[in-house]
Amino acid sequence: MNTSSSSPFNNISTAASGRAGTLQFQVESGSAVQQPSNRQRALVLGGGGSTGNAWLIGVVAGLFDAGLDVATPELTIGTSAGSTAAAQLAGASPVELFEAILSSVPQRPAGAHKSAPRQAAAVPVRSVPGPNMETGRTATRPVVDHMERTGNIMKASSDMADMRRRLGAAAVEITASMEGASARWRDTVATRLPRAQWPERAILLTAVNARTGEPVVFDRKSGVDLVDAVAASCASGFAYSIGDEQYIDGGYRTNAENADLAVGYGSVLVLSPFGGRTRTPAEWGMHLACHVDALRAGGSQVETVIPDSEAEHMFGVNAMDFSLRPAAARVGFEQGRVLASRLAGFWAAR
C-alpha cells in the first residue's frame, strides 16, 4: 500500500534536521502567511507532473469514497502539480475532479517540443523527477533534456540556496526569448481551476523567486491571485512573471513536497507522487524523509502515501504522458479506498 508511519524511504537519508521542540514556522519572502490557530490536520500535496496531479486527485477521491474526507483540513500545502490539486480541491469535490479526469483523455500536443510554455500548458508540471524512476515507457526528449540541464546546474551548486539562484537565473535567461509565455501559461492554468478565488481556509502554495533564489510561499493574504500563485508554483522550464517579479517551480524550494511547512500540526498526511525522492545531495538535508523526521520530532503524527510500485512507470520521466492520467487517477483511487480505514483514526481531530 506504500504508506508508512515510519520513514519509508530506504534509499535516502533519514537524519532529522533540527532538534525536537525547536521547529518554528518560517514566513518567507513574497508571503504574508498566517497560520490558523487550530493546527490539527495538514494535507501535503506533492509535485509529480500531469500523472502526479491525477494520482493525487484519485487518492483523495478514493479516501472520500470510502468515507474519509481529507480535502478540507485546517491547512493544505501544494507544490507544483500539487498546487493545482490544492486549488482544484478548494473549488470542487474530489468525486467531481476524479470523474473529470476519467472522462477526458488529453493527447500529447503536436509540436510540444518546440515551446516550453506550450508543453507546460497541457498539465501541471513538476520539473525535477527523482532518481531511479526511468522505468516503463521511454522518456520524451524535452523531459530528458530538462533533466540533463537542471542536473548539470545542481552538480555545479554548493548548496540549496546556490542551486535556487542558478536555476532561477537560467530560467530567466530562457524566458527572455519566449514572448508571451507567462500570459499563455496563466490562461491555461485558469482553465484548470474550478474557481479563481482563494478559499477562506488556509492553503499554502510554494514557489521560488527566480531573480533572488529566495523561497516563496503564497496564500490568500499574499496579494497574489490564486491563478498566478498556481502558475508560479508550476513554472517548469521558464520563469513565470507576476508584476515585476519572476518565479520558478515550487519543487525547488526544498523538494517536491515541502512538508516542512506543516510544522506544528497534529496530523500531517503527505501524498507524494515521486515517492519522496529527489536529486539533491543527501547532505543538504532536503529530502522528504528529513522533513518527516523533523515533523515527528516536533510532535506531529505523519503518514506518507506514495504510488504502488507497479505504477511507478506512470511517474518520473513519464509524468508528462497525458494519456496516463486516467490510469494514474484510478491507481490513486484504489489506494485511497484501501487506506481509508487505516488512516481514519490518524486523521481524526487530536
Side-chain angles (χ1 to χ4, degrees), residues 103-318:
S103 65
S104 177
V105 183
Q107 300 299 314
R108 190 182 305 277
H113 64 285
K114 297 179 181 179
S115 170
R118 291 293 187 185
Q119 174 193 359
V123 292
V125 181
R126 158 75 170 127
S127 54
V128 187
N132 304 320
M133 302 198 306
E134 297 189 26
T135 58
R137 305 185 183 197
T138 302
T140 57
R141 191 69 242 170
V143 175
V144 174
D145 289 346
H146 183 74
M147 290 179 67
E148 291 177 351
R149 182 173 63 255
T150 54
N152 289 334
I153 293 174
M154 291 177 185
K155 290 177 183 178
S157 302
S158 59
D159 56 25
M160 199 72 185
D162 184 39
M163 186 199 79
R164 286 193 296 257
R165 286 191 294 269
R166 290 171 182 263
L167 287 169
V172 170
E173 182 178 358
I174 290 173
T175 307
S177 62
M178 299 165 63
E179 184 177 355
S182 292
R184 293 194 300 271
W185 182 219
R186 190 186 195 284
D187 288 345
T188 299
V189 170
T191 65
R192 298 196 191 125
L193 306 186
R195 54 180 295 177
Q197 295 76 36
W198 288 93
E200 288 299 313
R201 60 186 176 83
I203 293 182
L204 306 182
L205 305 182
T206 63
V208 171
N209 187 304
R211 180 177 57 83
T212 66
E214 290 296 315
V216 176
V217 177
F218 296 114
D219 74 349
R220 65 186 177 88
K221 296 184 179 180
S222 299
V224 171
D225 290 345
L226 178 62
V227 175
D228 283 323
V230 173
S233 187
C234 296
S236 175
F238 80 113
Y240 179 76
S241 296
I242 303 177
D244 295 332
E245 294 291 355
Q246 292 178 289
Y247 300 91
I248 58 174
D249 195 294
Y252 294 126
R253 177 186 170 273
T254 61
N255 54 42
E257 295 80 27
N258 290 301
D260 61 307
L261 292 173
V263 64
Y265 281 77
S267 300
V268 181
L269 177 61
V270 182
L271 306 186
S272 173
F274 282 153
R277 291 168 288 193
T278 180
R279 292 189 293 166
T280 58
E283 57 267 26
W284 289 4
M286 296 295 169
H287 295 82
L288 174 58
C290 295
H291 289 177
V292 169
D293 285 350
L295 287 170
R296 291 183 180 136
S300 300
Q301 293 186 26
V302 185
E303 289 282 356
T304 59
V305 180
I306 65 177
D308 285 331
S309 57
E310 58 267 26
E312 287 185 352
H313 70 279
M314 299 181 185
F315 307 96
V317 293
N318 292 315

